[in-house]
Amino acid sequence: MSISLSSPLGAIKGVGEATEKKFRRLGVCTVWDLLTFFPVRLEDRRAEKKIADLRDGETVCVTANVFTPVEGRPTRNGQTVYHATLRDESGFLPVVFFNNRFIKNMLIKGRDYTFYGKVSASSGRLELTNPEFEPAGRELFNKSVVPVYHSTAGLSQRVIRRAALAALELAGDALPETLPPSLRREYNLCSLAFAIREIHFPRDMENAEIARRRLVFEEFFILQTALRGRKLMNRVASPHVFADLDFSPFTGLLPYALTGAQRRVLGEIAEDLGSGRPMSRLVQGDVGCGKTVIAAAAMYLAVKNGCQAAMMAPTEILAAQHCEGLAPLFARLGIPCRLITGSLTKKRKAEISEALLSGEIKVLFGTHAIIQEGVRFRNLALAVTDEQHRFGVRQRGTLSAKGEEPHVLAMTATPIPRSLALVMYGDMDVSSVDELPPGRQRIDTFCVDEGMRERINAFIAREAAKGRQAYVVCSAIEDGPSADVKAAVSRAEALRSALPGISVGLLHGRMKNAEKDAVMADFAAGKISVLVSTTVIEVGVNVPNATMMIIENAERFGLSQLHQLRGRVGRGGHKSYCVLFAGNLSEATLERMKIMVQSGDGLKIAEKDLELRGPGEFFGSRQHGLPELKIASLATDMDVLKESGAAAARILKDDPYLEKEENFYLKGRIEEFFKDKKDFMA
Ligand code: ADP
Ligand code: MG
């Protein structure tokens, strides 16, 4: 029978319909899927011993004869234990199986088998418990290095292993080589056929490592070639080549001098804007480093050069704050701005859209409302997304589609470890604002438990008496969609009774927008001293008089999120504090909280977070745009990531559209990549 890589699994001998269905649950449908269903780890079963040499606690292979037939004995709790005695030339060994009535038919007295299992001492005697066994001389898995797969109910490791083995026998030789030969030579990479075989059934651990390196390299390489390729293709000519790149009339109006980092990044942006190619730049910098004003200066340049600019923020609060903060500055330069959010009436939105289309409005701030269909610009030349990690690639793309190849500026205060930035933003240039404005003080951070509740309340009261303000952030304590709201509501009640005479406000995502705005405005104006909220205030909000950030159930937050929340304070001249209430202090939680207490460096915290939680959880479920990796790890394969990045750059430099013969298969894989990752690539 002929079988190809795209044949369904059923084409493999021994894979019936029921098994095929279980595989499908794991996303494995074709022979190729199975061959690239990589084991999560390997088990080395090569160690063999004679019975007389066995030691308590070791897991080994023993080849032995079944000396006494399998016998079942009932236990006190109604189960049956099956016993037999094994023998080799060195001695005897009891073997025990729990609740496997088929054993009687599988282990035949007088025959030789190879057993793999754990040796343990039971009332002073060594025995083998629940070993895996195969007929001696015909071992498939025992005495070798064996793959262990991620599995699903009812699909045993043995069934997966047998299917993988069969797939390799049938189709292993049909595997085409995807990497160009020159690349394989340069980076010393084994062939795909070798890699696929040895990743499942390696001859030894060295081969497994050689195979893994090739596959990790390939995965990163394809990802980065795809991203860089897209970046190259995006390098069309820009219809917006700005001639006037002097932003000093705008920055001169600021009540402070720009930091060196801000000036450097603005310079990079100005260069992009005049370069003749559309800008695609990510500005990353810790909370409070002053990214907003950088974007505003770029927007000023767009307007100065006769165009429009838009800035999209993930929440209404933040969008409103941008508009309120910047509109007065723009007004002094005669630049009309407007704010658009979901809560405006249809009529108001239509008015704004009309004024945009006529060119009357030059700068638009807003939420997702900006990218709605009805909103049209006359000539949008700069599209800014603030807190861009909160948006999907698709949403950023929709904003860009509002103009003709507009310049794109994205900002994020979630510092992204370099390993992630490379993969996630391979198609963007990255600028880092690595300096805080002068005079910022360290935010003293404490991790406390319930026992400190009263003292912390007293502390809030003292600070409030000095005119300072506090945030109290609640996360969900129970599960359920509005659990965090409940938590915030009851925390606000508790604080109101604990702090008589101090005004306590409440803010959560279930409130109407007008209510939220009113509460936020009161807090900004100092009419509210303590603001209890859900994480709606996580990003961007700026109230310099707030000096305390109290976080309830801090153990439930990611480190980067905690850092982000902490960044809401310490924004004015006053000494600021962050208090993390954490219960259930497991060792891991303790370590995470310790990092928060010790470090104020967002990048360091992000790297630690990535290391501790892995890239999937690093951003939480909100994260879009993180590609799923089959074998490579963003936490541990940094070296290979770098190598493959350099390789991708070189290949594209040599053959930007991958038209050369030797890049034929690579091009196919990249097209597949774009097909599979529609969400990721927009
Ligand atoms: P983020 O980078 O987190 O978005 P913001 O842009 O909100 O930070 O800036 C935080 C605060 O720092 C704002 O109050 C802003 O006015 C102020 N700020 C920005 N740049 C400077 C500077 N160079 N000197 C002093 N204060 C600054
Ligand atoms: Mg910001």
Side-chain angles (χ1 to χ4, degrees):
M1 188 182 64
S2 97
I3 183 166
S4 76
L5 294 174
S6 54
S7 300
L9 275 195
I12 297 173
K13 207 176 104 223
V15 178
E17 237 172 84
T19 307
E20 211 176 355
K21 212 164 138 193
K22 283 174 201 150
F23 266 117
R24 218 172 300 140
R25 252 187 271 149
L26 295 170
V28 177
C29 305
T30 65
V31 171
W32 170 253
D33 291 344
L34 181 58
L35 291 176
T36 54
F37 184 64
F38 301 125
V40 283
R41 64 184 174 83
L42 294 169
E43 195 171 272
D44 190 344
R45 299 185 175 180
R46 286 172 303 167
E48 281 186 78
K49 281 206 166 170
K50 295 286 170 217
I51 288 176
D53 300 329
L54 295 177
R55 296 275 169 278
D56 183 15
E58 69 186 349
T59 306
V60 287
C61 279
V62 182
T63 300
N65 188 269
V66 178
F67 185 64
T68 65
V70 177
E71 255 177 73
R73 286 180 217 152
T75 63
R76 249 172 286 160
N77 51 19
Q79 304 194 318
T80 310
V81 181
Y82 295 88
H83 296 260
T85 306
L86 309 177
R87 183 181 83 159
D88 69 5
E89 65 269 23
S90 74
F92 295 89
L93 179 69
V95 58
V96 182
F97 296 90
F98 295 102
N99 269 335
N100 185 347
R101 59 198 167 85
F102 301 112
I103 286 294
K104 271 189 127 128
N105 309 327
M106 292 160 70
L107 264 192
I108 314 291
K109 177 175 171 329
R111 295 207 186 149
D112 292 333
Y113 298 86
T114 300
F115 298 82
Y116 173 77
K118 185 162 180 178
V119 179
S120 54
S122 165
S123 42
R125 238 168 36 134
L126 292 183
E127 64 178 27
L128 201 52
T129 312
N130 278 335
E132 290 182 45
F133 57 89
E134 297 172 317
R138 288 190 285 136
E139 296 89 352
L140 282 178
F141 305 123
N142 285 350
K143 302 210 285 189
S144 353
V145 181
V146 177
V148 179
Y149 299 94
H150 167 68
S151 187
T152 181
L155 196 57
S156 74
Q157 290 295 329
R158 190 164 179 89
V159 168
I160 305 177
R161 279 174 202 146
R162 292 196 78 123
L165 201 59
L168 274 170
E169 271 163 22
L170 289 166
D173 294 336
L175 286 166
E177 182 51 61
T178 38
L179 295 178
S182 59
L183 198 75
R184 274 183 47 207
R185 269 196 308 277
E186 181 174 349
Y187 291 96
N188 206 2
L189 301 166
C190 67
S191 73
L192 182 62
F194 179 90
I196 295 276
R197 182 158 37 86
E198 297 293 313
I199 198 76
H200 290 281
F201 301 103
R203 195 190 62 196
D204 50 38
M205 290 308 189
E206 290 75 56
N207 271 9
E209 198 36 56
I210 290 168
R212 187 175 182 279
R213 176 162 170 272
R214 139 98 203 200
L215 294 167
V216 169
F217 187 99
E218 175 162 357
E219 185 163 45
F220 278 148
F221 176 71
I222 287 179
L223 181 65
Q224 296 187 87
T225 311
L227 289 167
R228 281 166 201 261
R230 192 171 74 141
K231 179 163 151 184
L232 276 183
M233 296 188 207
N234 284 349
R235 290 284 148 113
V236 292
S238 168
H240 315 287
V241 190
F242 297 167
D244 186 346
L245 298 172
D246 178 15
F247 46 75
S248 60
F250 174 81
T251 51
L253 294 179
L254 297 170
Y256 47 76
L258 293 181
T259 63
Q262 283 172 316
R263 259 183 286 126
R264 191 192 70 239
V265 172
L266 247 177
E268 288 163 4
I269 291 170
E271 197 168 302
D272 288 347
L273 296 177
S275 74
R277 309 219 174 266
M279 169 168 75
S280 173
R281 186 168 290 278
L282 176 77
V283 173
Q284 73 166 16
D286 219 341
V287 271
C289 69
K291 294 180 292 293
T292 318
V293 71
I294 295 175
M299 292 169 99
Y300 164 75
L301 287 181
V303 176
K304 200 179 188 194
N305 286 274
C307 303
Q308 290 169 307
M311 181 151 134
M312 181 164 73
T315 63
E316 294 216 17
I317 292 174
L318 190 52
Q321 192 181 282
H322 286 147
C323 187
E324 276 157 30
L326 294 171
L329 282 176
F330 283 134
R332 285 167 68 185
L333 295 159
I335 298 172
C337 327
R338 214 58 67 80
L339 172 70
I340 189 166
T341 61
S343 56
L344 294 186
T345 61
K346 258 206 177 115
K347 188 155 160 267
R348 286 284 295 138
K349 282 186 205 156
E351 276 169 24
I352 291 178
S353 188
E354 206 166 293
L356 280 169
L357 202 53
S358 73
E360 185 192 319
I361 298 175
K362 297 296 181 195
V363 169
L364 184 67
F365 297 99
T367 54
H368 296 79
I370 294 187
I371 55 177
Q372 279 165 3
E373 237 167 70
V375 179
R376 281 153 65 203
F377 292 80
R378 184 182 177 85
N379 59 350
L380 178 69
L382 174 63
V384 183
T385 42
D386 192 15
E387 306 296 347
Q388 79 85 41
H389 58 282
R390 301 284 298 259
F391 293 101
V393 180
R394 198 194 293 270
Q395 289 166 316
R396 277 184 275 154
T398 314
L399 178 56
S400 296
K402 298 273 174 188
E404 192 193 332
E405 301 291 345
H407 297 292
V408 169
L409 185 62
M411 300 190 291
T412 182
T414 296
I416 299 157
R418 271 204 72 72
S419 58
L420 279 185
L422 269 167
V423 176
M424 294 185 58
Y425 306 116
D427 64 329
M428 298 186 107
D429 300 308
V430 178
S431 294
S432 297
V433 189
D434 47 10
E435 182 184 350
L436 292 178
R440 291 283 156 81
Q441 299 180 21
R442 197 188 146 76
I443 301 165
D444 283 345
T445 301
F446 307 93
C447 179
V448 302
D449 61 16
E450 267 316 298
M452 290 288 283
R453 182 65 73 184
E454 273 179 34
R455 287 176 65 180
I456 299 296
N457 283 347
F459 180 60
I460 296 174
R462 272 204 309 280
E463 282 283 296
K466 284 194 262 172
R468 303 285 96 78
Q469 292 166 283
Y471 295 97
V472 177
V473 177
C474 300
S475 82
I477 293 174
E478 301 145 35
D479 291 332
S482 56
D484 56 340
V485 173
K486 263 191 264 163
V489 170
S490 58
R491 175 57 41 209
E493 275 164 19
L495 279 166
R496 280 183 186 127
S497 57
L499 305 170
I502 290 176
S503 81
V504 176
L506 176 64
L507 186 72
H508 60 69
R510 299 230 148 175
M511 286 160 58
K512 292 218 180 67
N513 287 320
E515 289 175 273
K516 279 196 265 184
D517 290 347
V519 171
M520 207 54 224
D522 282 352
F523 187 64
K527 288 185 204 158
I528 292 173
S529 295
V530 178
L531 181 63
V532 181
S533 82
T534 56
T535 52
V536 291
I537 58 121
E538 175 187 337
V539 294
V541 180
N542 188 26
V543 177
N545 191 48
T547 56
M548 282 166 292
M549 170 57 67
I550 319 276
I551 301 173
E552 305 284 341
N553 297 98
E555 75 279 1
R556 299 194 148 231
F557 293 90
L559 289 186
S560 289
Q561 205 181 0
L562 288 175
H563 180 66
Q564 189 94 348
L565 285 166
R566 179 167 63 181
R568 302 301 105 215
V569 299
R571 306 191 135 226
H574 307 293
K575 174 84 197 148
S576 294
Y577 307 89
C578 175
V579 178
L580 307 169
F581 272 101
N584 290 326
L585 286 181
S586 68
E587 196 132 317
T589 310
L590 208 59
E591 189 180 347
R592 284 158 26 110
M593 295 304 126
K594 209 165 99 191
I595 294 160
M596 289 304 298
V597 170
Q598 288 172 348
S599 178
D601 177 337
L603 193 58
K604 214 191 251 167
I605 289 172
E607 265 157 12
K608 207 73 198 169
D609 206 14
L610 176 64
E611 192 186 302
L612 290 175
R613 293 198 304 164
E617 285 208 31
F618 174 70
F619 286 105
S621 55
R622 265 201 313 259
Q623 177 58 28
H624 319 261
L626 189 67
E628 211 175 286
L629 296 166
K630 273 192 131 159
I631 187 163
S633 154
L634 288 165
T636 58
D637 291 321
M638 263 307 280
D639 295 351
V640 185
L641 181 71
K642 272 188 216 141
E643 280 181 341
S644 59
R650 214 210 46 213
I651 290 264
L652 286 169
K653 191 165 168 222
D654 175 56
D655 183 16
Y657 298 98
L658 301 179
E659 291 161 331
K660 290 195 176 167
E661 179 75 39
E662 67 160 23
N663 294 329
F664 177 78
Y665 280 108
L666 177 60
K667 188 171 188 173
R669 290 293 303 277
I670 287 176
E671 277 160 9
E672 239 169 76
F673 174 90
F674 281 110
K675 238 187 328 192
D676 288 356
K677 304 212 162 59
K678 284 208 194 78
D679 273 349
F680 173 52
M681 302 313 296

